[in-house]
Amino acid sequence: MTQLVERAAHPLQLSLPLPLTAHPVSVYLGTLRPNSVPIVRRHLDELAQILTDNQCDAMTLNWGQLRYQHTASLRAVLIQKYSPGTVNHKLCALRRVLREAKKLKLITLEDYSDAIEIDSVRNHQPSLKGRALSSLEIQVLFTHLLELSTISSFRDAALLAVLLGSGLRRAEVVSLDLADFNHSTGGIEVREGKGGKNRTVYLPDWGTSLVVQWLNLRGFRPGPLFYAVNKGQRIVKRRMSGQAVLYILQKRASDAGIEQVSPHDLRRTFISGLLDAGIDLVTVQKLAGHSDPATTARYDRRGEEAKRRAANTINAPF
């Protein structure tokens, strides 16, 4: 008589279920917007299945037991299956869960540091210069900054909110003074922008809130809207440079596990987002400060999916 052999539990499987408040996946998913949760959960389930030969999902895997050999092998497997952008999204989710595991004392700082020491995947295929950030990348970046709760992180969150929420160039952002910002309307007066032109742009409510949060730390004396902050977290009443903005964004993105990004990519994300939302090209052109709408159109990185959706708006003739 044939006997059934029970499959042994995988070494990376949790021996006992964790309370949701102590589970790194549950805690991480709780920081995301509701529409991002199913996507990220599928990413994490897949990672768990790869590591355990389909024996575990995201909730039954013991994430605190992951080491560099596990994360490096995951990266290698994902590279064989997906495009660089998709791989990087999955690796970003992996790093965030491990970060929560560290904060929950499920993994030591040394093991955590080694485990996340995996490079993002570069896209060696010819492509258009620059990119638009995904909604998940944006959420991860701002969540990372606000969780740090330092003077510089609040300043940087406000700075990036202006870049992303109004589409300003970095030279325009560092030229702003306190008087150029209207906290009641979220309006920003851009004086002597590119081509010597003035224009008014508006921040979304969330962007206005982040700038006001920074101003409560900065104070409301006249001067540059964004001051430098030294390593001791003291505000230095000195105007920032455009190069400093580039450095800050690259460092913050790297720390959050996001692939390489530039200030102009935030501007591109702003423009693409407005076009994707159905805002007409002329209005977007004015907000972006372009003299020619053809220049604005070149920033569009919505890809083939947007073209497909546009084609489907045409009613059938029968």
Side-chain angles (χ1 to χ4, degrees):
M1 181 175 179
T2 304
Q3 292 184 341
L4 295 177
V5 179
E6 185 176 350
R7 192 175 188 183
H10 194 278
L12 291 177
Q13 185 173 344
L14 283 170
S15 56
L16 293 172
L18 288 174
L20 293 181
T21 54
H23 198 298
V25 170
S26 177
V27 173
Y28 169 43
L29 294 179
T31 69
L32 301 177
R33 294 175 182 170
N35 59 348
S36 298
V37 170
I39 299 171
V40 177
R41 175 61 194 268
R42 285 196 295 271
H43 288 337
L44 297 174
D45 280 339
E46 180 183 12
L47 298 181
Q49 289 161 4
I50 292 172
L51 286 170
T52 63
D53 192 22
N54 292 319
Q55 290 189 52
C56 294
D57 62 11
M59 298 304 293
T60 57
L61 183 75
N62 189 344
W63 296 90
Q65 289 297 314
L66 297 196
R67 301 294 183 263
Y68 173 75
Q69 63 265 31
H70 300 122
T71 57
S73 64
L74 274 175
R75 181 181 184 274
V77 171
L78 293 173
I79 287 174
Q80 300 301 315
K81 298 177 64 177
Y82 299 108
S83 68
T86 301
V87 173
N88 289 330
H89 283 161
K90 294 176 186 293
L91 292 180
C92 178
L94 171 64
R95 293 188 187 99
R96 287 301 306 277
V97 170
L98 291 177
R99 182 179 171 194
E100 297 299 339
K102 179 198 67 171
K103 290 159 65 175
L104 291 166
K105 310 298 184 186
L106 301 175
I107 186 172
T108 66
L109 178 59
E110 181 180 2
D111 287 336
Y112 163 75
S113 299
D114 290 341
I116 65 167
E117 196 65 25
I118 48 175
D119 294 331
S120 296
V121 182
R122 293 183 177 274
N123 188 353
H124 297 292
Q125 299 298 320
S127 61
L128 294 172
K129 186 177 180 181
R131 69 185 186 94
L133 277 71
S134 70
S135 58
L136 179 59
E137 287 178 312
I138 294 168
Q139 187 172 356
V140 167
L141 179 58
F142 280 95
T143 299
H144 168 67
L145 287 170
L146 296 176
E147 283 181 348
L148 292 175
S149 295
T150 62
I151 291 177
S152 61
S153 69
F154 285 125
R155 190 257 339 250
D156 295 347
L159 177 68
L160 300 187
V162 173
L163 287 167
L164 182 66
S166 68
L168 296 193
R169 304 172 178 91
R170 56 174 162 155
E172 294 172 336
V173 171
V174 297
S175 297
L176 293 174
D177 289 328
L178 178 64
D180 297 324
F181 174 66
N182 185 326
H183 66 87
S184 297
T185 65
I188 295 177
E189 297 295 330
V190 182
R191 306 180 194 280
E192 298 293 319
K194 190 173 181 179
K197 297 179 180 179
N198 299 339
R199 72 183 189 280
T200 302
V201 297
Y202 295 91
L203 287 175
D205 291 343
W206 63 264
T208 301
S209 296
L210 289 175
V211 174
V212 170
Q213 190 173 41
W214 154 244
L215 292 179
N216 288 332
L217 298 170
R218 172 203 178 278
F220 292 86
R221 289 188 177 183
L225 182 60
F226 293 106
Y227 281 134
V229 177
N230 65 22
K231 292 182 179 179
Q233 295 300 309
R234 294 180 65 88
I235 295 174
V236 180
K237 295 182 178 179
R238 181 181 72 239
R239 190 179 297 275
M240 296 175 63
S241 67
Q243 188 64 27
V245 173
L246 173 62
Y247 171 77
I248 287 167
L249 175 57
Q250 290 181 336
K251 184 179 187 307
R252 295 302 195 186
S254 176
D255 290 348
I258 297 171
E259 63 179 297
Q260 188 174 2
V261 61
S262 72
H264 218 69
D265 289 333
L266 298 187
R267 178 170 165 82
R268 183 173 288 108
T269 304
F270 168 77
I271 294 172
S272 289
L274 291 178
L275 293 172
D276 200 26
I279 307 301
D280 65 273
L281 185 61
V282 174
T283 299
V284 179
Q285 172 203 346
K286 292 177 180 177
L287 290 171
H290 289 148
S291 58
D292 185 347
T295 304
T296 308
R298 286 200 294 271
Y299 279 74
D300 191 354
R301 292 290 185 274
R302 290 173 290 172
E304 296 303 315
E305 177 60 21
K307 295 179 184 178
R308 187 191 68 80
R309 291 199 305 269
N312 280 327
T313 63
I314 302 174
N315 293 324
F318 51 86

